[in-house]
Amino acid sequence: DAKTTQPTSMDCAEGRAANLPCNHSTISGNEYVYWYRQIHSQGPQYIIHGLKNNETNEMASLIITEDRKSSTLILPHATLRDTAVYYCIVRFPGNSGGYQKVTFGTGTKLQVIP
Amino acid sequence: DGGITQSPKYLFRKEGQNVTLSCEQNLNHDAMYWYRQDPGQGLRLIYYSQIVNDFQKGDIAEGYSVSREKKESFPLTVTSAQKNPTAFYLCASTPSAGRNTIYFGEGSWLTVV
């Protein structure tokens, strides 16, 4: 799996959009970008994933650059409950070809400020 | 609702004791994983299993053991050989095919006293 690079921490004012960047310059052509978040002392929660097109769901939007070397997770209206560590990972879909090791780095600690 | 259940949530272990963390899933997933997380750190893979009766070592398997006798269960034993076992342990699973989203349990805190 390709490695990812994220800022260690970010602040965002409550009600504003939170934009969390992720670099994945060594991503291969069929690897997907996944985002998870982890609230303290809980298991990581799936947020969104994408291949090359921008994606949106009820939680967030994912913007992937045309060269796929970076992406941005957007929380459109951050709330205090969005304070968490956000992880960006890349991996293949499915289990064909055997196990794909998944590496979770230290992620970005997002602090939403009242 | 389908999901992954880890137990216990909190566990205290005396030095020299083995302890077993339970992980059960009712998602009908083939693959299951165990991760360890230390404070302020990312997740590190301990063991994984792609199918019943098969499992492989991850990056930090020393001092741990697992079994996969049933599809829905993947218990982790922290043995006395693990020198620094105090950590947060996460169990996860993925479907055998498809988008392969990783589903996580709520985690278990293990403290050595």
Side-chain angles (χ1 to χ4, degrees), chain A residues 32 34 36 38 40-46 49 87 89 91-107, chain B residues 9 30-31 33 35 37 40-43 45 48 50 59 88 90 94-107 109:
Chain A
Y32 281 64
Y34 284 78
Y36 288 79
Q38 185 178 27
H40 183 63
S41 297
Q42 296 182 21
Q45 175 191 23
Y46 166 79
H49 75 283
Y87 297 100
I89 64 171
R91 67 182 316 218
F92 296 103
N95 275 349
S96 61
Y99 171 70
Q100 298 119 41
K101 179 178 175 180
V102 178
T103 301
F104 284 79
T106 53
Chain B
K9 177 69 175 179
D30 283 330
Y33 315 84
Y35 290 89
Q37 186 175 35
Q41 303 298 311
L43 282 64
L45 181 67
Y48 64 95
Q50 296 189 76
D59 297 322
F88 187 51
L90 285 160
T94 56
S96 59
R99 293 177 297 171
N100 214 13
T101 299
I102 305 170
Y103 295 83
F104 285 89
E106 288 303 305
W109 281 100

Side-chain angles (χ1 to χ4, degrees), chain B residues 3-39:
Chain B
I4 300 176
T5 302
Q6 289 187 238
S7 62
K9 177 69 175 179
Y10 300 95
L11 184 62
F12 296 88
R13 188 194 93 172
K14 293 182 179 179
E15 287 192 28
Q17 283 184 337
N18 294 351
V19 293
T20 297
L21 306 179
S22 170
C23 178
E24 302 279 331
Q25 54 99 357
N26 59 4
L27 300 166
N28 200 34
H29 287 176
D30 283 330
M32 298 186 73
Y33 315 84
W34 274 104
Y35 290 89
R36 169 180 170 145
Q37 186 175 35
D38 293 285

Side-chain angles (χ1 to χ4, degrees), chain B residues 33-64:
Chain B
Y33 315 84
W34 274 104
Y35 290 89
R36 169 180 170 145
Q37 186 175 35
D38 293 285
Q41 303 298 311
L43 282 64
R44 292 186 290 169
L45 181 67
I46 305 172
Y47 267 97
Y48 64 95
S49 168
Q50 296 189 76
I51 57 173
V52 175
N53 293 322
D54 181 70
F55 49 84
Q56 304 295 329
K57 292 181 179 180
D59 297 322
I60 55 166
E62 185 175 353
Y64 300 97

Side-chain angles (χ1 to χ4, degrees), chain A residues 24-80:
Chain A
H24 31 78
S25 59
T26 60
I27 192 171
S28 64
N30 53 354
E31 282 186 308
Y32 281 64
V33 180
Y34 284 78
W35 282 84
Y36 288 79
R37 73 179 181 185
Q38 185 178 27
I39 297 170
H40 183 63
S41 297
Q42 296 182 21
Q45 175 191 23
Y46 166 79
I47 301 173
I48 198 168
H49 75 283
L51 180 63
K52 55 183 178 180
N53 297 321
N54 298 338
E55 302 288 343
T56 296
N57 62 20
E58 64 278 6
M59 292 182 67
S61 295
L62 174 61
I63 308 298
I64 303 174
T65 58
E66 190 170 346
D67 63 7
R68 302 203 333 115
K69 293 183 183 300
S70 66
S71 61
T72 301
L73 178 75
I74 301 172
L75 308 177
H77 305 287
T79 70
L80 298 179

